[in-house]
C-alpha cells in the first residue's frame, strides 16, 4: 500500500527539515536534569544511537538555560528547548543556539510574552512548535469545549493566530491526548484546517509496552492516512526505547527504516531453543546496527527453513542444536549456548557491513 503524504509547509530544525517533502523524522526527549550538561549530552548521544534525529530538553530554570550552550555545541543533533510558564527562558534558549522552541499555549498566553519570544525566534530563523496537550488546555477553552479534539484544535488555532499577529508563521503543531483516538481526531482536524507540519505523539502514553501500543495505534492510523511529519513516542521507560519504537512504526508502514528487522516465532511445544532469550539478545544487538535486512529466530525445523529462506539471516532450533542461515544457506556447525551472544554479534556485524549498512 502506498501512502500519499499530506502536503504542508516545511520548517528547518538545524540539519533536519520537517514537512514539505522531507522524510518523517524521529524525535525523542531527555530525562536527565538539563543543568547537568554532561549527563544530558551523554543521554542525547545514546538517543541518537537509538535513532533520534532531533532531541528535546526541558528548560525549567536559568541553570538549564545556561547549560544549553554546551549541550547545543556538543550534541551533534538539533536541540529543541521545551519551555513552560516563562517566556524569558525561551529567549535565553534561543540565545544559547537551540534549533527550535516548543512552547505550551496553556501556560504562556500573554500576547506581549508571545511577541517577545516570537521576535527572538524570528531573529535567529528558528521555528516554534505550538504543543497542545489535553492536560494543559487554556482555561477559557477548557470551560467552553472540554479537553477533547475540538478543544485541542481550538487552543492551537488561537495560538497560531497570536503568533501570526506578530508576523511569525514558522510553526509546527502538535495536538496530544493520552487517549489515542482523541489524538487521532484532533490531528485529522488540524490536517484539514491548516497547512502546518504536524508533530505526532500520544501524551502520557504509559510504560514501555502499553505506551508502544497506544502510540502505534494513534501515530500509525494518522501516518497511514498521510498525516504527520515528525513523530515522538513518549514512554515511561528507558528513553532509548522511544526512537526504537518510533522507527518500528515507520518501518511497519513502509515509511522508513534504520535498524534491521527482527522476526521471531511465538514458540510452542516443538520449540528447541530459547527463542525469547535469543530474540532479546538479538534485539539489543540490532539496535546498534544500521541496515535494511531481516533477521529471523525460529524455534524448530517446522517453519524454520522456510523462514530462513525469506530472511537474510536466521537462527533456528534443530535436533542438532541452534543453527544459523545466511542468505538461505546454512552456515557450518552449531552454536553452543555459551557462545550465542558473541557469535551473533560477530555474524551480524559482518553481515551488516557486507550489506553496506555500516555497523555502529
Ligand atoms: S517455528 Fe516451530 S517452535 Fe516456533 S511456533 Fe512454529 S512450530 Fe512452534
Amino acid at each position: 500500500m502506498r501512502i500519499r503524504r499530506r502536503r504542508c509547509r516545511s520548517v528547518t530544525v538545524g540539519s533536519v527539515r520537517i514537512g514539505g517533502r522531507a522524510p518523517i523524522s524521529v524525535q525523542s526527549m531527555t530525562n536527565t536534569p538539563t543543568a547537568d550538561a554532561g549527563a544530558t549530552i551523554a543521554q542525547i548521544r545514546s538517543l541518537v544511537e537509538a535513532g533520534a534525529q532531533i532531541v528535546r530538553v526541558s528548560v525549567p530554570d536559568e541553570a538549564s538555560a545556561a547549560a544549553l550552550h554546551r549541550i547545543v555545541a556538543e550534541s551533534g543533533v538539533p536541540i529543541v528547548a521545551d519551555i513552560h510558564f516563562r517566556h524569558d527562558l525561551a529567549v535565553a534558549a534561543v540565545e544559547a543556539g537551540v534549533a527550535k522552541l516548543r512552547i505550551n499555549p496553556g501556560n504562556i498566553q500573554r500576547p506581549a510574552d508571545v511577541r517577545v519570544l516570537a521576535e527572538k525566534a524570528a531573529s535567529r530563523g528558528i521555528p516554534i512548535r505550538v504543543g497542545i496537550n489535553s492536560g494543559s488546555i487554556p482555561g477559557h477553552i477548557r470551560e467552553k469545549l472540554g479537553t477533547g479534539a475540538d478543544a485541542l484544535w481550538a487552543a492551537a488555532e488561537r495560538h497560531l493566530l497570536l503568533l501570526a499577529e506578530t508576523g511569525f508563521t514558522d510553526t509546527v503543531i502538535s495536538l496530544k491526548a493520552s487517549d489515542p483516538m482523541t489524538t487521532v481526531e484532533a490531528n485529522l482536524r488540524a490536517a484539514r484546517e491548516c497547512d502546518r507540519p504536524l508533530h505526532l505523539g500520544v501524551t502520557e502514553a504509559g510504560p514501555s509496552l502499553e505506551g508502544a501500543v497506544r502510540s502505534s495505534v494513534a501515530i500509525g492510523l494518522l501516518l497511514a492516512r498521510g498525516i504527520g511529519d515528525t513523530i515522538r513516542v513518549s514512554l515511561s521507560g528507558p528513553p532509548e526505547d522511544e526512537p526504537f519504537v518510533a522507527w518500528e512504526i515507520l518501518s511497519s508502514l513502509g515509511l522508513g527504516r534504520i535498524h534491521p528487522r527482527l522476526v521471531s516465532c511465538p514458540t510452542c511445544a516443538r520449540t528447541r531453543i530459547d527463542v525469547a532469550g535469543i530474540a532479546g539478545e538479538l534485539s539489543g544487538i540490532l539496535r546498534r546496527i544500521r541496515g535494511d535486512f531481516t533477521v529471523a529466530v525460529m524455534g524448530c525445523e517446522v517453519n524454520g527453513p522456510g523462514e530462513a529462506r525469506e530472511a537474510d539471516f536466521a537462527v533456528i532450533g534443530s535436533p542438532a542444536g541452534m543453527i544459523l542461515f545466511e542468505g538461505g544457506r546454512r552456515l557450518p556447525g552449531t552454536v553452543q549456548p555459551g557462545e550465542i551472544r558473541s557469535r551473533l554479534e560477530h555474524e551480524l556485524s559482518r553481515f551488516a557491513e557486507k550489506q553496506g549498512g555500516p555497523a555502529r
Side-chain angles (χ1 to χ4, degrees):
M1 181 178 117
R2 190 163 175 275
I3 294 172
R4 280 173 64 94
R5 300 261 313 272
R6 159 184 170 261
R7 286 178 183 275
C8 67
R9 301 184 193 197
S10 68
V11 300
T12 302
V13 183
S15 56
V16 180
R17 206 155 62 86
I18 297 177
R21 292 179 183 274
I24 296 160
S25 50
V26 169
Q27 307 202 18
S28 191
M29 187 168 182
T30 55
N31 62 8
T32 50
T34 304
D36 184 345
T40 302
I41 291 164
Q43 192 174 68
I44 289 168
R45 288 181 179 152
S46 170
L47 290 170
V48 170
E49 184 178 61
Q53 296 163 309
I54 297 171
V55 178
R56 180 160 47 114
V57 300
S58 294
V59 186
D61 50 31
E62 281 81 359
S64 302
L68 282 175
H69 291 271
R70 190 178 149 205
I71 292 169
V72 167
E74 296 183 27
S75 292
V77 66
I79 298 297
V80 181
D82 191 71
I83 306 289
H84 295 267
F85 305 109
R86 290 180 51 183
H87 73 289
D88 60 316
L89 292 175
V91 171
V94 175
E95 284 172 355
V98 299
K100 187 171 115 186
L101 291 175
R102 181 269 166 133
I103 58 172
N104 182 342
N107 53 46
I108 300 182
Q109 297 189 46
R110 284 183 53 217
D113 295 346
V114 174
R115 175 174 290 280
V116 168
L117 68 84
E119 285 175 354
K120 192 68 188 178
S123 74
R124 299 290 176 97
I126 69 166
I128 295 176
R129 168 158 69 94
V130 176
I132 320 283
N133 287 357
S134 54
S136 55
I137 289 172
H140 67 283
I141 294 176
R142 199 172 56 243
E143 281 164 23
K144 201 170 149 198
L145 297 172
T147 57
D150 289 344
L152 286 164
W153 167 247
E157 190 178 35
R158 177 184 171 276
H159 216 76
L160 286 177
L161 281 174
L162 214 53
L163 284 166
E165 280 166 11
T166 74
F168 193 93
T169 56
D170 206 12
T171 42
V172 176
I173 302 173
S174 66
L175 305 175
K176 301 184 182 183
S178 56
D179 172 55
M181 294 314 287
T182 302
T183 301
V184 170
E185 195 184 342
N187 280 279
L188 288 174
R189 174 98 188 259
R192 278 197 309 272
E193 303 263 4
C194 76
D195 62 354
R196 306 306 161 100
L198 295 177
H199 164 127
L200 303 183
V202 173
T203 188
E204 293 109 30
S208 292
L209 192 55
E210 294 90 330
V213 172
R214 290 177 195 135
S215 299
S216 301
V217 167
I219 295 172
L221 279 170
L222 288 162
L223 290 178
R225 297 182 70 153
I227 295 168
D229 304 285
T230 183
I231 65 175
R232 188 238 171 155
V233 171
S234 308
L235 301 174
S236 312
E240 294 78 7
D241 283 354
E242 293 187 354
F244 179 75
V245 174
W247 280 109
E248 284 299 313
I249 295 171
L250 291 177
S251 163
S252 301
L253 291 162
L255 291 169
R257 162 162 293 284
I258 60 168
H259 301 295
R261 184 180 304 102
L262 176 62
V263 299
S264 57
C265 82
T267 73
C268 70
R270 296 179 187 277
T271 308
R272 295 183 184 278
I273 56 174
D274 175 15
V275 171
I278 295 166
E281 292 269 10
L282 274 168
S283 178
I285 294 168
L286 294 175
R287 286 186 193 202
R288 300 192 303 274
I289 290 177
R290 301 284 165 104
D292 186 5
F293 59 89
T294 299
V295 179
V297 187
M298 303 298 287
C300 77
E301 63 277 22
V302 172
N303 290 321
E307 201 64 50
R309 274 194 295 277
E310 297 291 319
D312 298 287
F313 194 90
V315 180
I316 294 171
S318 78
M322 190 169 90
I323 55 177
L324 304 180
F325 282 73
E326 182 178 321
R329 296 231 304 268
R330 183 178 166 181
L331 299 179
T334 57
V335 182
Q336 299 309 309
E339 60 167 1
I340 288 174
R341 186 176 182 88
S342 59
R343 179 80 188 271
L344 291 177
E345 260 173 345
H346 169 75
E347 297 291 355
L348 284 168
S349 295
R350 182 184 57 74
F351 188 78
E353 279 173 21
K354 211 167 86 178
Q355 297 294 304
R360 288 161 50 94

